[in-house]
Amino acid sequence: MLKQADPLSQGAGPTAAQRGRVARFVSACAAFALAAAVFAFDTFSGYESAIAVLYAPVLVLGAVLGGRLVVVVGAIVCSTLAVVSFLATHVGAMDAGNTGRLLVALVAIALTAALLLSRLSLHQARAALSESEQNLRIMADTVPQILWQALPDGRIVYLSRRWMEMTGAPIADGLADDGLAFLNWFHPEEQPTAVEQWTELIREGEPFEFYRRLRITDGSYRWLQLSASPLRTETGQIVKWAGVATDIDEEMRAQLAVRATNQTLEARVAERTAELARSERRYRSAFEQSHVAMLEMDITGVVEALAEARVAGNGDGTGYLMAHPDAFDRCVGALRILDANHAAVQLFGAKDREALLAREGRLMSTRTPEDIDRYYALVDRRETIEAEAELRVMDGRTVKVLFGVSQIAAPDGRCHVLVGMIDVTARDRAQELLLAAQEELARANRAATLGALSASIAHELNQPIGAVMMDAQTAARWLEREPPDLGLAKRALARVAGNAERASGILRRTREQLVKRRRALEPIDLGEVVRSAVALVDRELKGGRARAEVRVAPGLLPVEADRIELQQVIVNLVVNAVQAMRDTPAGERVVRVDVSGGDKRLTVDIEDRGSGIAPEHIGCLFDAFFTTKPGGMGMGLQICRATIESFGGTLVVRNNETAGATFSFTLPAYDGDPS
Ligand code: ADP
């Protein structure tokens, strides 16, 4: 086992060095003195004995003085002196006795030298060992880990100084309790099983690694990584355990934080995934169960084809696709149905879902600039399309549908849309029938009105016109006389004028009666009547490829009028407006209907962008039978004005500054007093 480091014991101070030098000097002097004394005694005393043996202490002093080299040189010098002395005293008298003594002395010198050399080697080896041991100890105390050693049974017998620095406890405390006291520094949560685990790991006899929290000087805990390996003999027997405990607190805490974050993230991802799954299930069930036919489609190919058309048409994709039916076919042919619900399968008259998904070819059978503009709006601005279209279904029928298309999320940059469709064929047919019936009714009404009017006129006018004719003839006769009777002729002509005046009065009264007969006055919401009237002319608007924009100011008072008549006025004015825009470019055919007003009066302006009114026609526009249309009757505006006036209002027209004309009628606001 390594000893504990003791820095104070390392190296000698200046006094020790001095002492060493003095000792060496004294030894050298003593060695020389002794060698000289032995040589002198051996050479000059004449004493017959192995005096040269006494050179041995000289060698011992030499060993103390300077190590191996001094011993070897000393042995050679001493042997030489012994031989020189022998030759000097025994020249010519050499016998076996004195030669033997010389040999004994030389052997003694050689043995002493050999002994001293071996001792010196041993001493040097010890010094080297102690130095390396010391180096090792310094290293063990310098590394930032706790190094430890344990007996084969796991009892700790060595802890490096880092233990002390970390725990603030003396090393002896960690080694107490038969080498297991260090376990008491583990975190309380890990202590109950600490001894058991330690013993188990040691018993297994394999290198191991584990993580524990160690209480440090300030009472807090830091994570340590403890790793240990057994040291074995050649036969495999464990002689001891060596290990290292590394402070990995920062890494461990970072790891724990990352793990905690990961767990939170995983929990969130799981939660979000579950939410998405729920929402997907909800979407699926809404998709499947809906009575509205729904298709999920991939329009990536369409998007590409639209972009190509835009390039080919120098920015005007719509114009290009209108001019190139083949390009349009390719574009709509690139639609791919990905999924369809039950209602869609039924709408398309498909055998089953798979048959519908396998369907090839175009869905829509119409190709209009409006349709194409809508496709561009969908892909460019992700707008939701809502429109009507004719759909070719699988049994060859054409079904009219009201459809809505919106983009939905799609993977890998593809473009998916959800299409909802309602079959409006039946509804449209009913509406067409209704409108036709309404038109028929209006025509019949007009005919009946005119019939009644003309019958009434004929009846009422019969008499004054007959009288006019008779008086005119009478006047003619009075004038043909020779000489003419101018007085009587004048009287007859005055009667003609009177009867003509009466006829005009009859006409006026008849028209007033006509208007009065239809009256059923009640307070009504002008905005609502305008909207419903505009809805009635939807077909005319579509037929004329025009659209109406209705704006009703909020909080308007009601007006007192006959709802049906008022509707007829608005219908008439809007239809006229649409007809006047025949030559206007399709995109600009807009009829704006503004309803505004205050406390006293409400105004409806019907503004178009049509031909406007020629200056020479402005004065006679409201006259009966004035028309510029080949099949026109010229009664509409006249009846409109009469109707509005009968409600206490006025109807006027003006040409717009830019284009078209604006018909405006004003009605008194209903103040609660029935008129
Ligand atoms: P008609 O049935 O013949 O159109 P109306 O009384 O409705 O009878 O209209 C009379 C004439 O007034 C029309 O023939 C047309 O020349 C002109 N007119 C009516 N409305 C407009 C309008 N919005 N813009 C231009 N001219 C119009």
Side-chain angles (χ1 to χ4, degrees):
M1 177 195 152
L2 294 171
K3 288 183 194 153
Q4 298 310 310
D6 180 6
L8 294 176
S9 73
Q10 291 172 23
T15 323
Q18 269 176 356
R19 272 206 305 271
R21 274 201 297 278
V22 171
R24 273 202 297 281
F25 178 71
V26 172
S27 303
C29 291
F32 279 119
L34 186 60
V38 172
F39 180 73
F41 189 76
D42 194 19
T43 312
F44 305 111
S45 69
Y47 189 73
E48 287 292 334
S49 178
I51 300 295
V53 172
L54 294 176
Y55 282 116
V58 175
L59 293 184
V60 174
L61 283 172
V64 173
L65 190 67
R68 296 170 67 84
L69 186 63
V70 177
V71 172
V72 172
V73 172
I76 294 168
V77 170
C78 289
S79 303
T80 310
L81 289 176
V83 172
V84 168
S85 181
F86 173 75
L87 290 176
T89 51
H90 298 94
V91 175
M94 272 189 261
D95 58 21
N98 50 35
T99 307
R101 280 195 297 277
L102 174 66
L103 287 176
V104 167
L106 289 177
V107 167
I109 290 169
L111 278 174
T112 306
L115 272 172
L116 285 172
L117 284 176
S118 99
R119 215 184 141 75
L120 275 174
S121 295
L122 191 66
H123 183 72
Q124 272 173 357
R126 278 215 187 116
L129 188 66
S130 138
E131 192 182 346
S132 99
E133 200 173 288
Q134 197 165 349
N135 285 344
L136 204 59
R137 203 166 56 220
I138 292 169
M139 223 169 72
D141 288 340
T142 321
V143 291
Q145 283 101 340
I146 303 175
L147 303 184
W148 55 268
Q149 280 184 6
L151 296 178
D153 61 4
R155 280 179 292 137
I156 298 274
V157 286
Y158 165 75
L159 285 168
S160 70
R161 205 161 52 158
R162 185 88 181 111
W163 162 270
M164 213 163 66
E165 289 164 4
M166 281 193 80
T167 60
I171 287 170
D173 287 7
L175 300 178
D177 282 354
D178 221 3
L180 292 177
F182 71 98
L183 295 171
N184 298 332
W185 270 263
F186 284 176
H187 194 279
E189 284 172 12
E190 287 143 20
Q191 269 186 25
T193 52
V195 178
E196 201 177 311
Q197 279 175 352
W198 181 257
T199 322
E200 177 64 20
L201 287 166
I202 293 290
R203 198 186 52 74
E204 282 171 9
E206 294 298 329
F208 62 86
E209 197 170 80
F210 66 105
Y211 302 86
R212 290 290 178 273
R213 278 168 292 176
L214 187 79
R215 191 175 67 243
I216 61 164
T217 340
D218 62 3
S220 64
Y221 287 86
R222 291 184 75 80
W223 279 100
L224 292 188
Q225 179 195 42
L226 294 118
S227 37
S229 300
L231 304 179
R232 296 174 186 273
T233 59
E234 276 175 10
T235 56
Q237 205 181 349
I238 295 176
V239 280
K240 61 174 149 185
W241 287 87
V244 57
T246 312
D247 182 342
I248 52 154
D249 198 65
E250 264 86 38
E251 296 90 313
M252 196 68 168
R253 284 186 199 283
Q255 254 186 38
L256 291 174
V258 169
R259 197 182 302 165
T261 315
N262 277 351
Q263 275 170 356
T264 318
L265 279 178
E266 275 166 23
R268 290 225 184 110
V269 168
E271 203 176 288
R272 187 85 191 98
T273 314
E275 207 172 278
L276 284 175
R278 278 198 299 280
S279 122
E280 166 68 9
R281 273 200 300 278
R282 275 202 298 274
Y283 162 75
R284 276 287 135 212
S285 104
F287 184 85
E288 286 304 333
Q289 314 290 313
S290 175
H291 292 295
V292 174
M294 289 215 211
L295 297 177
E296 196 177 316
M297 297 206 280
D298 187 338
I299 60 159
T300 316
V302 179
V303 174
E304 285 162 8
L306 287 174
E308 279 165 20
R310 185 172 273 159
V311 173
N314 288 327
D316 180 12
T318 306
Y320 181 82
L321 290 171
M322 282 306 290
H324 297 84
D326 51 327
F328 180 78
D329 278 352
R330 269 202 308 282
C331 178
V332 289
L335 280 176
R336 293 280 164 271
I337 304 177
L338 300 173
D339 201 358
N341 68 356
H342 182 64
V345 173
Q346 282 192 326
L347 177 73
F348 277 85
K351 189 161 63 68
D352 52 23
R353 208 173 73 96
E354 281 61 40
L356 178 55
L357 299 196
R359 178 186 192 280
E360 302 246 316
R362 298 168 44 170
L363 279 184
M364 308 295 175
S365 53
T366 52
R367 174 169 60 103
T368 67
E370 287 75 21
D371 288 342
I372 300 172
D373 282 348
R374 275 193 216 109
Y375 298 152
Y376 274 113
L378 175 76
V379 300
D380 288 351
R381 303 190 290 277
R382 302 179 72 92
E383 276 178 13
T384 298
I385 296 184
E386 270 170 26
E388 283 188 10
E390 284 183 352
L391 196 71
R392 265 195 226 142
V393 297
M394 294 178 80
D395 56 9
R397 277 180 307 129
T398 300
V399 178
K400 199 148 184 219
V401 291
L402 184 68
F403 70 93
V405 187
S406 20
Q407 276 203 33
I408 53 173
D412 313 332
R414 299 201 68 80
C415 191
H416 288 187
V417 290
L418 187 67
V419 184
M421 286 177 290
I422 298 172
D423 183 351
V424 290
T425 321
R427 184 207 70 180
D428 274 16
R429 204 164 295 139
Q431 201 163 2
E432 263 169 35
L433 288 174
L434 182 69
L435 281 172
Q438 267 178 354
E439 252 173 40
E440 189 58 34
L441 197 66
R443 237 191 333 268
N445 207 6
R446 221 157 26 217
T449 308
L450 280 173
L453 185 66
S454 32
S456 154
I457 291 170
H459 179 73
E460 296 272 342
L461 293 186
N462 221 4
Q463 195 273 325
I465 286 175
V468 165
M469 280 179 70
M470 269 174 51
D471 284 334
Q473 284 165 2
T474 311
R477 272 201 306 279
W478 291 128
L479 289 173
E480 277 162 10
R481 281 238 179 128
E482 275 307 330
D485 191 336
L486 291 178
L488 286 175
K490 251 190 194 163
R491 276 209 296 276
L493 285 173
R495 281 200 303 279
V496 167
N499 275 318
E501 174 87 2
R502 200 148 65 89
S504 146
I506 289 167
L507 267 177
R508 196 167 50 244
R509 211 177 52 249
T510 313
R511 198 185 61 207
E512 278 169 3
Q513 276 171 2
L514 198 69
V515 170
K516 266 186 201 144
R517 231 180 331 119
R518 290 183 293 175
R519 235 183 215 169
L521 299 185
E522 57 182 336
I524 53 172
D525 177 350
L526 190 56
E528 188 275 323
V529 171
V530 166
R531 284 191 213 282
S532 62
V534 171
L536 278 177
V537 292
D538 189 47
R539 215 169 65 115
E540 279 77 3
L541 282 164
K542 279 199 180 127
R545 291 180 60 190
R547 62 192 166 84
E549 281 178 10
V550 179
R551 287 197 313 206
V552 179
L556 292 178
L557 290 169
V559 294
E560 196 184 36
D562 179 312
R563 190 187 153 77
I564 303 295
E565 282 183 16
L566 205 51
Q567 246 179 11
Q568 277 306 123
V569 170
I570 298 157
V571 166
N572 233 312
L573 296 176
V574 175
V575 170
N576 274 352
V578 173
Q579 288 171 349
M581 292 194 292
R582 238 175 226 141
D583 296 325
T584 308
E588 296 168 25
R589 295 181 195 170
V590 181
V591 186
R592 277 185 53 180
V593 186
D594 278 5
V595 187
S596 56
D599 288 348
K600 302 257 180 271
R601 314 191 74 73
L602 278 81
T603 304
V604 178
D605 294 312
I606 295 160
E607 178 193 322
D608 62 52
R609 311 233 178 111
S611 54
I613 293 136
E616 65 271 22
H617 293 155
I618 278 264
C620 49
L621 214 60
F622 294 93
D623 289 354
F625 306 115
F626 172 81
T627 179
T628 57
K629 301 169 195 167
M633 265 169 110
M635 287 298 291
L637 287 180
Q638 210 252 352
I639 293 175
C640 285
R641 179 173 264 181
T643 309
I644 292 297
E645 285 176 356
S646 74
F647 300 140
T650 51
L651 170 62
V652 291
V653 64
R654 62 175 183 277
N655 273 324
N656 299 330
E657 265 173 31
T658 47
T662 301
F663 284 80
S664 302
F665 65 83
T666 304
L667 293 171
Y670 178 64
D671 54 9
D673 290 334
S675 48

